Amino acid sequence: MTGQKHPLRMAREARHWSIDTLAALTGLSRRTLLRAEQGRGLNPSSRQLICRVFDMSAEELGLTYRQASGKLQHVVSHCSELDEFDRPEFHRPKRITLAYVEAVKELTQTFRRQDNMFGGGYARTVAAHYLDSTVVSLLRHGCCDDDVGQALLGSAAELAHLVAWMAYDMQDHSGAKHYMGRALELATASDDDAFGGEILAGMSHQAIHLRHVAETIDLARGSQRIATKVRLSALLAEAHVMEAHGHALLGDSTSSAASLHAAELAFGQSQPADLPEWLQYLDEGYLASRFAHCFRDLRDWRQAEQFALRAIQMSDNLARARSFNTVLLATTYVENDLEQACHVGLEAVELASQLQSGRIRQYIRDLARRLEEKHKSDPIVGRFTEAVSEALGAPPWD
């Protein structure tokens, strides 16, 4: 074993976490974690915390047990059977400063980067655990000035929103709705109307995926009202394009075109430098992708192809977005160019195989279904299906 890294350190570095990041996630000291990475023993509660964060067993992480004796052994064993954050020491009032708020923001950014690079399944368990334990504990049992409390509520809302997106990306729609609801409550408590409008737009996005058309349009219009009230043009553009997609699902090209035009006008009035951090993803590439989705569902293949190509060109640095847009582009070729549909589709499969995303697999299933319906007897479709099965581990329609 000489010269080999400890399994805990290997797992930490595989997630691109520093020792300070792991300390923030677990609530344990750097000293305790460094000792653990040296193979030193831990008490049961510390081992339990580390295992929760990594969603791995103590054996997989190489965590050893530090023996206690007599009365101490009994107390430690009893405490380890309790939920860590229901233990009495976590209920002592803790003075919260802006440093705690910055730590929540920094970790949320880390989770967001990992989500964009690797898919919602990569860090979802860790992010949800951090929200439900550490952040909620601060909200429940901490004491602070009003401005710090307001900032903590806002940061918690952003983290809850991200966890919701991760759940949505993994096709856990009940979990996504749960965390969207929590995010909306936290945003309301922090008096952040603008972020509340962003959450409504996100809920509209999920409703599109579930084909809940009336809900899609209602939520999009709610977001529009808030965006108008707070004068946030980029949010207004997002809300209009969500409504446009709802109309497209109904086959209403006139109403969809009107909403897309409103989205263009609103986006043209936005100033990127003035966007809040949580809305900086909304750029020309994002809008191009949403436009392509609308035209796809309106069966306007030429327009869908043009916007999908534009979206791909603008999403080089976002692995998951590029995967979605590549599948979308492949779908635009199904009706008129089978070979190109399968060629681009295989590019998407290769990208998807590197992600932990249930939604991208759903996109590929939809592509395979469309190919089957249109070109069932063509051998190239059979070869595409086999390639999908080999790359993703299951037939695309399962």
Side-chain angles (χ1 to χ4, degrees), residues 325-341:
N325 293 334
T326 303
V327 182
L328 180 60
L329 177 61
T331 303
T332 69
Y333 294 130
V334 169
E335 295 292 321
N336 304 310
D337 193 338
L338 173 59
E339 288 193 8
Q340 186 71 347

Side-chain angles (χ1 to χ4, degrees), residues 3 14 81 94 108-109 115 139 158 176-177 179 190 201 204 233 240 251 256 264 283 286 292 318 342 367 370 379:
E81 294 171 0
K94 177 181 287 188
T108 300
Q109 286 300 319
D115 177 50
L139 289 169
E158 291 186 37
K177 289 183 177 181
Y179 282 106
S190 68
S204 180
S233 297
H240 276 304
S256 185
E264 285 184 307
D283 55 14
Y286 178 86
L318 298 172
C342 291
L367 172 61
R370 291 170 186 260

Side-chain angles (χ1 to χ4, degrees), residues 36 48 61 84 86 130 149 178 223 246 282 301 344:
Q48 182 185 47
L61 292 169
E84 183 70 16
D86 282 338
Y130 179 63
H178 168 73
S223 181
L282 201 149
W301 306 117
V344 177

Side-chain angles (χ1 to χ4, degrees), residues 194 226-237 274-276 278-279:
I226 292 175
T228 301
K229 173 185 173 183
V230 300
R231 298 182 180 180
L232 189 53
S233 297
L235 176 60
L236 184 59
D274 297 333
L275 290 182
W278 45 261
L279 196 53

Side-chain angles (χ1 to χ4, degrees), residues 154-185:
S155 297
E158 291 186 37
L159 178 56
H161 185 241
L162 177 59
V163 172
W165 273 104
M166 290 175 166
Y168 171 29
D169 194 42
M170 292 305 296
Q171 300 280 69
D172 177 8
H173 293 293
S174 62
K177 289 183 177 181
H178 168 73
Y179 282 106
M180 284 286 189
R182 290 183 66 177
L184 192 56
E185 290 175 359

